[in-house]
PDB file of all heavy atoms in Angstrom:
ATOM      1  N   ILE A 436       5.684   4.582  -8.700  1.00 98.00           N
ATOM      2  CA  ILE A 436       5.345   3.521  -9.667  1.00 98.00           C
ATOM      3  C   ILE A 436       3.878   3.149  -9.528  1.00 98.00           C
ATOM      4  O   ILE A 436       3.152   3.025 -10.518  1.00 98.00           O
ATOM      5  CB  ILE A 436       6.241   2.287  -9.447  1.00 98.00           C
ATOM      6  CG1 ILE A 436       7.717   2.634  -9.636  1.00 98.00           C
ATOM      7  CG2 ILE A 436       5.844   1.159 -10.411  1.00 98.00           C
ATOM      8  CD1 ILE A 436       8.671   1.531  -9.224  1.00 98.00           C
ATOM      9  N   ARG A 439       1.196   5.274 -11.318  1.00 97.00           N
ATOM     10  CA  ARG A 439       1.194   5.416 -12.778  1.00 97.00           C
ATOM     11  C   ARG A 439      -0.122   4.960 -13.400  1.00 97.00           C
ATOM     12  O   ARG A 439      -0.538   5.484 -14.441  1.00 97.00           O
ATOM     13  CB  ARG A 439       2.354   4.613 -13.381  1.00 97.00           C
ATOM     14  CG  ARG A 439       3.730   5.182 -13.043  1.00 97.00           C
ATOM     15  CD  ARG A 439       4.845   4.307 -13.617  1.00 97.00           C
ATOM     16  NE  ARG A 439       6.151   4.701 -13.104  1.00 97.00           N
ATOM     17  CZ  ARG A 439       7.296   4.054 -13.365  1.00 97.00           C
ATOM     18  NH1 ARG A 439       7.254   2.972 -14.155  1.00 97.00           N
ATOM     19  NH2 ARG A 439       8.435   4.474 -12.866  1.00 97.00           N
ATOM     20  N   TYR A 443      -3.155  -0.012  -9.495  1.00 97.00           N
ATOM     21  CA  TYR A 443      -1.844  -0.616  -9.277  1.00 97.00           C
ATOM     22  C   TYR A 443      -1.538  -0.896  -7.803  1.00 97.00           C
ATOM     23  O   TYR A 443      -0.540  -1.555  -7.500  1.00 97.00           O
ATOM     24  CB  TYR A 443      -0.754   0.283  -9.860  1.00 97.00           C
ATOM     25  CG  TYR A 443      -0.303  -0.086 -11.254  1.00 97.00           C
ATOM     26  CD1 TYR A 443      -1.032  -0.973 -12.050  1.00 97.00           C
ATOM     27  CD2 TYR A 443       0.871   0.444 -11.787  1.00 97.00           C
ATOM     28  CE1 TYR A 443      -0.609  -1.307 -13.325  1.00 97.00           C
ATOM     29  CE2 TYR A 443       1.301   0.119 -13.064  1.00 97.00           C
ATOM     30  CZ  TYR A 443       0.565  -0.757 -13.825  1.00 97.00           C
ATOM     31  OH  TYR A 443       0.990  -1.094 -15.100  1.00 97.00           O
ATOM     32  N   ILE A 447       0.949  -3.863  -8.150  1.00 98.00           N
ATOM     33  CA  ILE A 447       2.359  -3.693  -7.813  1.00 98.00           C
ATOM     34  C   ILE A 447       2.775  -4.643  -6.705  1.00 98.00           C
ATOM     35  O   ILE A 447       3.932  -5.078  -6.638  1.00 98.00           O
ATOM     36  CB  ILE A 447       2.658  -2.220  -7.445  1.00 98.00           C
ATOM     37  CG1 ILE A 447       4.174  -1.980  -7.426  1.00 98.00           C
ATOM     38  CG2 ILE A 447       2.027  -1.847  -6.108  1.00 98.00           C
ATOM     39  CD1 ILE A 447       4.544  -0.520  -7.270  1.00 98.00           C
ATOM     40  N   ALA A 450       3.345  -7.873  -8.404  1.00 98.00           N
ATOM     41  CA  ALA A 450       4.611  -7.777  -9.127  1.00 98.00           C
ATOM     42  C   ALA A 450       5.779  -7.969  -8.171  1.00 98.00           C
ATOM     43  O   ALA A 450       6.745  -8.686  -8.481  1.00 98.00           O
ATOM     44  CB  ALA A 450       4.715  -6.431  -9.836  1.00 98.00           C
ATOM     45  N   ILE A 454       8.763 -10.850  -8.187  1.00 98.00           N
ATOM     46  CA  ILE A 454      10.179 -10.488  -8.245  1.00 98.00           C
ATOM     47  C   ILE A 454      10.985 -11.255  -7.193  1.00 98.00           C
ATOM     48  O   ILE A 454      12.129 -11.667  -7.450  1.00 98.00           O
ATOM     49  CB  ILE A 454      10.338  -8.966  -8.066  1.00 98.00           C
ATOM     50  CG1 ILE A 454       9.833  -8.237  -9.321  1.00 98.00           C
ATOM     51  CG2 ILE A 454      11.792  -8.593  -7.776  1.00 98.00           C
ATOM     52  CD1 ILE A 454       9.672  -6.744  -9.131  1.00 98.00           C
ATOM     53  N   ASP A 468      -2.053  -5.993 -14.976  1.00 98.00           N
ATOM     54  CA  ASP A 468      -0.737  -6.229 -14.402  1.00 98.00           C
ATOM     55  C   ASP A 468       0.238  -5.117 -14.778  1.00 98.00           C
ATOM     56  O   ASP A 468       0.055  -4.404 -15.766  1.00 98.00           O
ATOM     57  CB  ASP A 468      -0.194  -7.572 -14.897  1.00 98.00           C
ATOM     58  CG  ASP A 468      -0.924  -8.751 -14.285  1.00 98.00           C
ATOM     59  OD1 ASP A 468      -0.944  -8.851 -13.045  1.00 98.00           O
ATOM     60  OD2 ASP A 468      -1.489  -9.566 -15.047  1.00 98.00           O
ATOM     61  N   CYS A 469       1.273  -4.990 -13.963  1.00 98.00           N
ATOM     62  CA  CYS A 469       2.320  -4.018 -14.244  1.00 98.00           C
ATOM     63  C   CYS A 469       3.060  -4.385 -15.540  1.00 98.00           C
ATOM     64  O   CYS A 469       3.145  -5.557 -15.908  1.00 98.00           O
ATOM     65  CB  CYS A 469       3.319  -3.972 -13.089  1.00 98.00           C
ATOM     66  SG  CYS A 469       2.646  -3.328 -11.542  1.00 98.00           S
ATOM     67  N   THR A 470       3.617  -3.372 -16.195  1.00 98.00           N
ATOM     68  CA  THR A 470       4.381  -3.599 -17.419  1.00 98.00           C
ATOM     69  C   THR A 470       5.777  -4.111 -17.082  1.00 98.00           C
ATOM     70  O   THR A 470       6.236  -4.040 -15.922  1.00 98.00           O
ATOM     71  CB  THR A 470       4.520  -2.298 -18.216  1.00 98.00           C
ATOM     72  OG1 THR A 470       5.314  -1.365 -17.450  1.00 98.00           O
ATOM     73  CG2 THR A 470       3.156  -1.690 -18.514  1.00 98.00           C
ATOM     74  N   ASP A 471       6.487  -4.600 -18.082  1.00 98.00           N
ATOM     75  CA  ASP A 471       7.859  -5.075 -17.876  1.00 98.00           C
ATOM     76  C   ASP A 471       8.748  -3.964 -17.333  1.00 98.00           C
ATOM     77  O   ASP A 471       9.606  -4.204 -16.471  1.00 98.00           O
ATOM     78  CB  ASP A 471       8.430  -5.612 -19.190  1.00 98.00           C
ATOM     79  CG  ASP A 471       7.772  -6.918 -19.624  1.00 98.00           C
ATOM     80  OD1 ASP A 471       7.125  -7.569 -18.780  1.00 98.00           O
ATOM     81  OD2 ASP A 471       7.903  -7.282 -20.806  1.00 98.00           O
ATOM     82  N   ARG A 472       8.576  -2.752 -17.846  1.00 98.00           N
ATOM     83  CA  ARG A 472       9.403  -1.636 -17.381  1.00 98.00           C
ATOM     84  C   ARG A 472       9.139  -1.320 -15.907  1.00 98.00           C
ATOM     85  O   ARG A 472      10.073  -1.075 -15.129  1.00 98.00           O
ATOM     86  CB  ARG A 472       9.136  -0.400 -18.242  1.00 98.00           C
ATOM     87  CG  ARG A 472       9.870   0.858 -17.781  1.00 98.00           C
ATOM     88  CD  ARG A 472      11.381   0.616 -17.679  1.00 98.00           C
ATOM     89  NE  ARG A 472      12.075   1.696 -17.025  1.00 98.00           N
ATOM     90  CZ  ARG A 472      12.561   2.766 -17.677  1.00 98.00           C
ATOM     91  NH1 ARG A 472      12.389   2.878 -18.976  1.00 98.00           N
ATOM     92  NH2 ARG A 472      13.202   3.709 -17.025  1.00 98.00           N
ATOM     93  N   GLU A 473       7.880  -1.360 -15.526  1.00 98.00           N
ATOM     94  CA  GLU A 473       7.539  -1.086 -14.127  1.00 98.00           C
ATOM     95  C   GLU A 473       8.060  -2.190 -13.215  1.00 98.00           C
ATOM     96  O   GLU A 473       8.533  -1.916 -12.101  1.00 98.00           O
ATOM     97  CB  GLU A 473       6.022  -0.927 -13.991  1.00 98.00           C
ATOM     98  CG  GLU A 473       5.545   0.372 -14.611  1.00 98.00           C
ATOM     99  CD  GLU A 473       4.107   0.349 -15.060  1.00 98.00           C
ATOM    100  OE1 GLU A 473       3.478  -0.734 -15.057  1.00 98.00           O
ATOM    101  OE2 GLU A 473       3.593   1.422 -15.425  1.00 98.00           O
ATOM    102  N   ILE A 474       8.021  -3.424 -13.684  1.00 98.00           N
ATOM    103  CA  ILE A 474       8.570  -4.537 -12.913  1.00 98.00           C
ATOM    104  C   ILE A 474      10.081  -4.371 -12.747  1.00 98.00           C
ATOM    105  O   ILE A 474      10.636  -4.615 -11.673  1.00 98.00           O
ATOM    106  CB  ILE A 474       8.222  -5.870 -13.597  1.00 98.00           C
ATOM    107  CG1 ILE A 474       6.713  -6.117 -13.506  1.00 98.00           C
ATOM    108  CG2 ILE A 474       8.999  -7.026 -12.969  1.00 98.00           C
ATOM    109  CD1 ILE A 474       6.226  -7.274 -14.340  1.00 98.00           C
ATOM    110  N   GLN A 475      10.739  -3.924 -13.800  1.00 98.00           N
ATOM    111  CA  GLN A 475      12.178  -3.669 -13.708  1.00 98.00           C
ATOM    112  C   GLN A 475      12.471  -2.563 -12.695  1.00 98.00           C
ATOM    113  O   GLN A 475      13.384  -2.692 -11.861  1.00 98.00           O
ATOM    114  CB  GLN A 475      12.726  -3.272 -15.076  1.00 98.00           C
ATOM    115  CG  GLN A 475      14.222  -2.972 -15.065  1.00 98.00           C
ATOM    116  CD  GLN A 475      14.737  -2.531 -16.433  1.00 98.00           C
ATOM    117  OE1 GLN A 475      14.125  -2.813 -17.458  1.00 98.00           O
ATOM    118  NE2 GLN A 475      15.870  -1.850 -16.441  1.00 98.00           N
ATOM    119  N   ASP A 476      11.710  -1.478 -12.753  1.00 98.00           N
ATOM    120  CA  ASP A 476      11.908  -0.365 -11.813  1.00 98.00           C
ATOM    121  C   ASP A 476      11.687  -0.818 -10.373  1.00 98.00           C
ATOM    122  O   ASP A 476      12.455  -0.464  -9.467  1.00 98.00           O
ATOM    123  CB  ASP A 476      10.946   0.777 -12.144  1.00 98.00           C
ATOM    124  CG  ASP A 476      11.255   1.454 -13.459  1.00 98.00           C
ATOM    125  OD1 ASP A 476      12.372   1.251 -13.989  1.00 98.00           O
ATOM    126  OD2 ASP A 476      10.383   2.184 -13.978  1.00 98.00           O
ATOM    127  N   LEU A 477      10.642  -1.618 -10.159  1.00 98.00           N
ATOM    128  CA  LEU A 477      10.370  -2.111  -8.817  1.00 98.00           C
ATOM    129  C   LEU A 477      11.461  -3.066  -8.356  1.00 98.00           C
ATOM    130  O   LEU A 477      11.885  -3.019  -7.194  1.00 98.00           O
ATOM    131  CB  LEU A 477       9.001  -2.804  -8.788  1.00 98.00           C
ATOM    132  CG  LEU A 477       8.576  -3.431  -7.461  1.00 98.00           C
ATOM    133  CD1 LEU A 477       8.527  -2.385  -6.355  1.00 98.00           C
ATOM    134  CD2 LEU A 477       7.231  -4.131  -7.612  1.00 98.00           C
ATOM    135  N   GLY A 478      11.925  -3.908  -9.258  1.00 98.00           N
ATOM    136  CA  GLY A 478      12.979  -4.850  -8.912  1.00 98.00           C
ATOM    137  C   GLY A 478      14.238  -4.159  -8.430  1.00 98.00           C
ATOM    138  O   GLY A 478      14.905  -4.629  -7.496  1.00 98.00           O
ATOM    139  N   GLU A 479      14.576  -3.046  -9.044  1.00 98.00           N
ATOM    140  CA  GLU A 479      15.757  -2.292  -8.632  1.00 98.00           C
ATOM    141  C   GLU A 479      15.599  -1.747  -7.220  1.00 98.00           C
ATOM    142  O   GLU A 479      16.553  -1.726  -6.431  1.00 98.00           O
ATOM    143  CB  GLU A 479      16.023  -1.160  -9.629  1.00 98.00           C
ATOM    144  CG  GLU A 479      16.472  -1.665 -11.000  1.00 98.00           C
ATOM    145  CD  GLU A 479      16.549  -0.564 -12.039  1.00 98.00           C
ATOM    146  OE1 GLU A 479      16.230   0.609 -11.702  1.00 98.00           O
ATOM    147  OE2 GLU A 479      16.914  -0.859 -13.205  1.00 98.00           O
ATOM    148  N   LEU A 480      14.392  -1.297  -6.878  1.00 98.00           N
ATOM    149  CA  LEU A 480      14.128  -0.803  -5.522  1.00 98.00           C
ATOM    150  C   LEU A 480      14.256  -1.932  -4.505  1.00 98.00           C
ATOM    151  O   LEU A 480      14.857  -1.762  -3.436  1.00 98.00           O
ATOM    152  CB  LEU A 480      12.733  -0.192  -5.434  1.00 98.00           C
ATOM    153  CG  LEU A 480      12.476   1.107  -6.188  1.00 98.00           C
ATOM    154  CD1 LEU A 480      11.008   1.516  -6.030  1.00 98.00           C
ATOM    155  CD2 LEU A 480      13.379   2.230  -5.661  1.00 98.00           C
TER     156      LEU A 480
END
Side-chain angles (χ1 to χ4, degrees):
I436 300 171
R439 292 177 190 175
Y443 264 14
I447 194 172
I454 289 168
D468 289 303
C469 293
T470 65
D471 290 343
R472 176 55 190 271
E473 288 155 351
I474 292 170
Q475 179 182 338
D476 292 345
L477 178 59
E479 292 172 359
L480 292 177

